[in-house]
Amino acid sequence: MLRVVELLALATLSFTLVNGIELDVNSVGSIKSAASSLASQLVGYYTANSTGRENGTLPSPYYWWEAGALFDTLIQYSHLTGDTQYNSLVSTGLLSQVGKNNDFMPVNQSATEGNDDQATWALAAMSAAEAQFTNSTQWLALADTVFNILVQRWDSATCSGGLRWQIYSFARGFDYKNSASNGHFFQLASRLARYTGNTTYSTWANTAYEWTKSTGFIDSKFNVYDGAPIVLRNCTDVVKLQFSYVAGTYITGVAHMYNITDGNAKWKTELDGLLNRTLNVFFSNGAARVATEVACEKIDTCTVDMMAMKGLLGHWLADAVQMAPYTANTVLPLLTSSAQAAAQACDETGCSFFWDGKHTGIDGNGAGAVGPSIDALSFVQGLLWQESGLTGLPATVNGTAVAANSTSTASGAVASSTKKSDGVAMRAGTALLVSVLGSMMWLVL
């Protein structure tokens, strides 16, 4: 039921009247309740009209990768909220798409699957292993299998390395190397390195990241660009489109490398640079500072694929804060303002893709209900990063469960953890900042 509620960020300063899902960013219970409503909607899109549709897939117009992203979002939901009601659905969906060789190359996707698509599913399997879903060894095996396949596809014959966008030579995009494929490979390698302690993964993570920078896909100002064609210019003509999830996959990969190297100066420099630039690029829409898909959102040209991208950025920002808690002061205010705007844009019909305060529900989308739901849920549940009882995601280090409130990192160093009580205070302080900015914006208008 649609509710008109007053969100009271700070009683003495401002009142905000919104149409949407009720969300009090100072209350863990309210955040979990809002996340629960959003998760229920997201699952509803997956289960609706499923008769005759292959398990683990979404109906048209959604591409295969987005189902993998949906499952990954629900794994994070389970981890952050403690609500496990969808775990069986997620496990069944993931396993239904592993293919005959357990490599996330099912026959039904053989004509269109790209390296970034396959890696998206492998990242979801990695999340299941980290969150200790039932039989975590099978999830690790799936992630490792895809990692090894991507290593085999590393193409040093062109552009001095890197992965092509597409797997098969007949596919459009085979002659293009993109940041999404290489960034997902980097993220997968960094997370496998943290989970297992195996330096083979961290070596490849370093190789993938250094190659990305050497090609200019990440420039000296830490802009993350889409990729470059191979033919004629050998990846020197970089396509300077920027998409939020691509920056996000590198941010969380770098945060994992920072974590497993005890805060190594190199990785801190890279993390700070990527965070500062990414937050400036994708949270630049005026005083509100809410997540925006800058390549298409303001001119309303986003495709169905693009509508899920800022949600993946939100997901990986929350993961990055868990890996590098010092970044919370930078990231949390924007997670908070975006979560509030996202909740305002949702009602019982679904979520709008546009978080400008002028659109609410499914009618604000045009098309693509799954993407906007992934977006909203990711930012709302991301506020719970310090409530998971862990200093960092995953729930395991080197494959071993970590006790709640432990301060050990993968290499045994002490990390700066945030207690649950500190989290409430941090959210309150962030709400104050967002509230003041909102009041100033109202006065200007």
Side-chain angles (χ1 to χ4, degrees), residues 67-398:
L70 179 151
F71 294 135
D72 204 355
T73 303
L74 291 173
I75 293 169
Q76 190 190 52
Y77 169 77
S78 173
H79 171 73
L80 293 176
T81 67
D83 181 358
T84 62
Q85 65 174 303
Y86 304 121
N87 287 10
S88 177
L89 175 145
V90 169
S91 296
T92 300
L94 286 173
L95 292 174
S96 70
Q97 295 298 308
V98 298
K100 64 180 182 180
N101 295 319
N102 292 322
D103 55 5
F104 288 115
M105 294 188 69
V107 173
N108 65 312
Q109 299 301 320
S110 59
T112 60
E113 183 174 351
N115 282 311
D116 49 355
D117 303 320
Q118 186 180 17
T120 296
W121 284 80
L123 291 172
M126 191 71 234
S127 296
E130 292 166 342
Q132 298 190 312
F133 267 40
T134 301
N135 192 7
S136 59
T137 55
Q138 73 177 339
W139 305 116
L140 176 62
L142 285 166
D144 176 68
T145 295
V146 174
F147 166 83
N148 284 301
I149 289 172
L150 295 177
V151 167
Q152 293 169 11
R153 292 185 191 143
W154 187 263
D155 175 28
S156 297
T158 61
C159 309
S160 301
L163 292 169
R164 294 172 182 259
W165 175 16
Q166 296 296 331
I167 298 171
Y168 302 109
S169 59
F170 59 77
R172 182 181 179 183
F174 180 74
D175 291 325
Y176 189 84
K177 293 193 177 181
N178 67 331
S179 294
S181 295
N182 287 282
H184 288 356
F185 174 53
F186 166 60
Q187 182 192 158
L188 181 62
S190 69
R191 290 167 65 182
L192 281 164
R194 184 177 191 273
Y195 189 93
T196 66
N198 188 328
T199 58
T200 297
Y201 300 121
S202 55
T203 298
W204 269 105
N206 189 72
T207 297
Y209 189 78
E210 291 302 322
W211 178 85
T212 303
K213 294 201 72 176
S214 70
T215 58
F217 290 6
I218 298 177
D219 71 8
S220 61
K221 295 181 179 179
F222 293 96
N223 291 295
V224 183
Y225 297 123
D226 186 69
I230 299 169
V231 179
L232 298 180
R233 301 296 296 274
N234 203 41
C235 294
T236 60
D237 189 13
V238 176
V239 176
K240 294 189 175 181
L241 287 172
Q242 292 181 270
F243 295 103
S244 60
Y245 82 118
V246 182
T249 200
Y250 281 103
I251 285 172
T252 195
V254 168
H256 279 77
M257 294 302 288
Y258 168 88
N259 183 280
I260 64 177
T261 59
D262 301 333
N264 178 275
K266 168 192 172 177
W267 293 112
K268 184 178 188 303
T269 297
E270 298 301 313
L271 182 55
D272 290 346
L274 283 168
L275 271 178
N276 290 334
R277 187 57 186 155
T278 297
L279 298 182
N280 282 332
V281 169
F282 295 101
F283 296 80
S284 59
N285 52 343
R289 300 291 310 273
V290 300
T292 306
E293 198 60 50
V294 296
C296 59
E297 184 172 336
K298 292 181 181 179
I299 54 176
D300 196 11
T301 59
C302 294
T303 64
V304 169
D305 276 350
M306 295 173 189
M307 287 185 178
M309 291 179 178
K310 65 184 180 183
L312 300 184
L313 172 61
H315 181 144
W316 291 326
L317 284 175
D319 285 359
V321 173
Q322 293 184 59
M323 289 292 99
Y326 81 89
T327 63
N329 288 336
T330 300
V331 174
L332 192 56
L334 301 185
L335 280 180
T336 301
S337 58
S338 295
Q340 290 174 315
Q344 181 179 345
C346 299
D347 64 15
E348 80 281 357
T349 69
C351 295
S352 173
F353 175 62
F354 304 103
W355 297 350
D356 55 6
K358 301 176 183 178
H359 300 80
T360 302
I362 198 70
D363 291 338
N365 293 336
V370 171
S373 287
I374 289 174
D375 297 340
L377 177 57
S378 294
F379 275 94
V380 170
Q381 69 190 19
L383 298 178
L384 297 168
W385 69 270
Q386 67 271 63
E387 302 302 326
S388 61
L390 305 169
T391 57
L393 187 71
T396 53
V397 174
N398 297 346

